[in-house]
């Protein structure tokens, strides 16, 4: 077979994009304790860096609810080269199991130093690093957007996980106190509790609902959006997929961008970097997303100024 100039160039490019570690026969395993529905950004980021599932990595998805209680059992049967852990419960469970396997964390609730996940932001130490939001003040922006839609807002429902959401909830309380808004909290710890929690919340007659970040809230986004719509309640979430599932608005970290950002950590660790030497980062991109179809269903007209500021508008 005669090789063309194009064949030679493509061969060189392919060789350069394959990580040096891939020259060894061993396929490296990445075990991900997070929902598969947010995986695209991670997979794309790894692929761009030469890590391809089935060729030089294996992706092991363990994101079902309650998976943190089985981390030790799972890793004993299926050791991993890198663990990706989403949420404080899973991070803590993984740290109890191993002090040597690299843990790349993504957590939107906790202060990582105060919670003992790392030593410092610049030099985490140990086997853990990753992305932490730790921005409870995001609650103020959520209330701002809700009040643009409902200027008379004075009764607000809150869906949260009371085990890990205290910093966000305290900030939300402070913002609402200054704005003269009464809060009706509904705590959830399992997705099976969402229906009852929303039923109790609606009985309090809020004018809108705000969601705080928590893995259980993320896992229940679709159902929460359905119940909010059935109750004809405007709602806002910090999770960017929420409007795509029928919620009115989202303001917070851009999830695809955040998981792409996380892919950079996994890549560096697979190439030999030590997690303890990789500084912790915050999400690199925040976005406002509005769903005009949901607004119409709720009988709302979103202010033009709000729609124009949105990074994404869903209208069908």
């Amino acid at each position: 077979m005669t090789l063309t100039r194009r064949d030679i160039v493509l061969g060189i490019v392919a060789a350069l994009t394959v990580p040096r570690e891939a020259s060894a026969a061993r396929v490296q395993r990445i075990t991900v304790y997070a929902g598969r529905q947010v995986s695209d950004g991670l997979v794309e980021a790894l692929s761009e860096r030469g890590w391809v599932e089935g060729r030089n990595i294996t992706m092991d998805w363990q994101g079902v609810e309650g998976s943190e209680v089985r981390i030790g059992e799972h890793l004993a049967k299926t050791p991993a080269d890198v663990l990706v852990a989403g949420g404080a419960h899973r991070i803590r469970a993984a740290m109890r199991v191993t002090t040597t396997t690299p843990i790349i964390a993504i957590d939107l609730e906790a202060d990582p130093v105060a919670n003992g996940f790392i030593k410092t932001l610049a030099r985490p130490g140990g086997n853990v690093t990753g992305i932490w939001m730790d921005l409870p003040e995001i609650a103020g922006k959520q209330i701002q957007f809700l009040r643009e839609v409902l200027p008379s807002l004075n009764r607000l429902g809150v869906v949260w996980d009371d085990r890990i959401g205290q910093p966000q909830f305290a900030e939300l309380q402070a913002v609402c106190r200054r704005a003269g808004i009464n809060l009706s909290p509904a705590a959830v710890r399992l997705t099976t509790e969402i229906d009852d929690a929303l039923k109790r919340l609606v009985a309090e007659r809020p004018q809108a609902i705000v969601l705080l970040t928590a893995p259980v809230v993320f896992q229940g986004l679709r159902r929460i959006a359905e119940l909010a719509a059935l109750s004809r309640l405007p709602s806002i979430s910090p999770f960017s997929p929420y409007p795509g599932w029928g919620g009115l608005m989202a303001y917070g970290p851009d999830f695809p961008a955040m998981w792409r950002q996380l892919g950079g950590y996994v890549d560096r660790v697979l190439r030999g970097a030590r997690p303890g030497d990789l500084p912790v980062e915050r999400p690199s991109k925040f976005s406002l997303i509005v769903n005009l179809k949901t607004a119409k269903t709720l009988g709302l007209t979103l202010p033009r100024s709000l729609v124009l500021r949105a990074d994404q508008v869903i209208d069908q």
Side-chain angles (χ1 to χ4, degrees):
M1 180 180 70
T2 302
L3 293 177
T4 66
R5 179 184 179 88
R6 181 175 181 275
D7 292 330
I8 295 171
V9 171
L10 289 176
I12 293 172
V13 171
L16 291 174
T17 58
V18 175
R20 286 175 301 186
E21 292 82 350
S23 60
R26 190 173 70 85
V27 175
Q28 302 205 65
R29 178 177 293 273
I30 304 166
T31 298
V32 185
Y33 291 95
R36 184 71 187 258
Q37 63 268 44
V38 296
S39 66
D40 288 352
L42 174 61
V43 172
E44 290 169 4
L46 290 172
S47 179
E48 290 169 0
R49 292 165 170 81
W51 300 101
V52 179
E53 188 167 10
R55 187 175 75 190
N56 51 16
I57 58 170
T58 295
M59 303 291 289
D60 181 11
W61 300 94
Q62 299 290 322
V64 298
E65 187 173 30
S67 58
E68 62 271 13
V69 301
R70 296 185 295 275
I71 288 179
E73 177 185 349
H74 179 72
L75 290 180
K77 295 178 180 177
T78 314
D81 295 285
V82 179
L83 300 180
V84 176
H89 302 314
R90 290 169 175 155
I91 298 166
R92 193 167 283 113
M95 291 178 69
R96 286 196 293 265
V97 171
T98 178
T99 58
T100 55
T101 302
I103 300 170
I104 308 302
I106 186 165
D107 183 10
L108 304 183
E109 293 82 38
D111 177 326
V113 176
N115 281 269
F117 296 135
I118 60 172
K119 293 179 180 178
T120 68
L121 298 177
R123 293 297 296 270
N127 63 322
V128 181
T129 189
I131 300 171
W132 269 270
M133 185 167 71
D134 188 26
L135 293 171
E137 58 267 27
I138 195 174
K141 293 292 291 185
Q142 291 173 322
I143 301 306
Q144 173 191 321
F145 292 132
L146 278 177
R147 296 203 85 174
E148 290 186 45
V149 177
L150 297 171
S152 62
L153 178 66
N154 56 35
R155 300 189 313 278
L156 180 65
V158 187
V159 179
W160 69 312
D161 183 338
D162 58 347
R163 297 169 298 176
I164 59 176
Q166 288 294 340
Q168 290 180 63
F169 187 74
E171 178 65 20
L172 182 65
Q173 283 181 310
V175 170
C176 288
R177 192 179 304 116
R178 292 192 295 268
I181 298 173
N182 294 316
L183 288 180
S184 297
V188 293
R189 298 185 175 187
L190 296 169
T191 54
T192 53
E193 299 173 354
I194 286 174
D195 282 47
D196 286 343
L198 266 291
K199 184 177 180 179
R200 294 194 307 272
L201 191 58
V202 170
E204 298 288 328
R205 302 181 66 80
Q207 295 165 285
I209 298 174
V210 62
L211 282 57
L212 303 187
T213 62
V216 65
V217 174
F218 182 80
Q219 290 157 4
L221 279 184
R222 189 187 299 271
R223 182 58 178 162
I224 294 170
E226 291 173 356
L227 294 172
L230 286 171
S231 302
R232 299 190 63 78
L233 285 170
S235 54
I236 187 168
S237 164
F239 296 116
S240 59
Y242 186 61
W245 289 328
L248 179 63
M249 293 189 290
Y251 176 74
D254 183 284
F255 261 56
M258 189 165 53
W259 281 85
R260 290 178 65 87
Q261 188 178 350
L262 198 77
Y265 278 101
V266 176
D267 169 63
R268 282 176 282 175
V269 168
L270 288 175
R271 295 176 185 274
R274 294 183 301 180
D277 295 334
L278 300 177
V280 162
E281 297 176 4
R282 282 179 168 173
S284 59
K285 180 182 179 183
F286 285 71
S287 58
L288 170 64
I289 305 170
V290 299
N291 188 322
L292 294 184
K293 181 180 178 181
T294 298
K296 184 177 180 180
T297 300
L298 296 174
L300 296 171
T301 299
L302 300 188
R304 179 172 172 77
S305 59
L306 177 66
V307 176
L308 290 175
R309 296 203 310 277
D311 299 277
Q312 181 183 350
V313 176
I314 299 171
D315 57 5
Q316 60 181 0

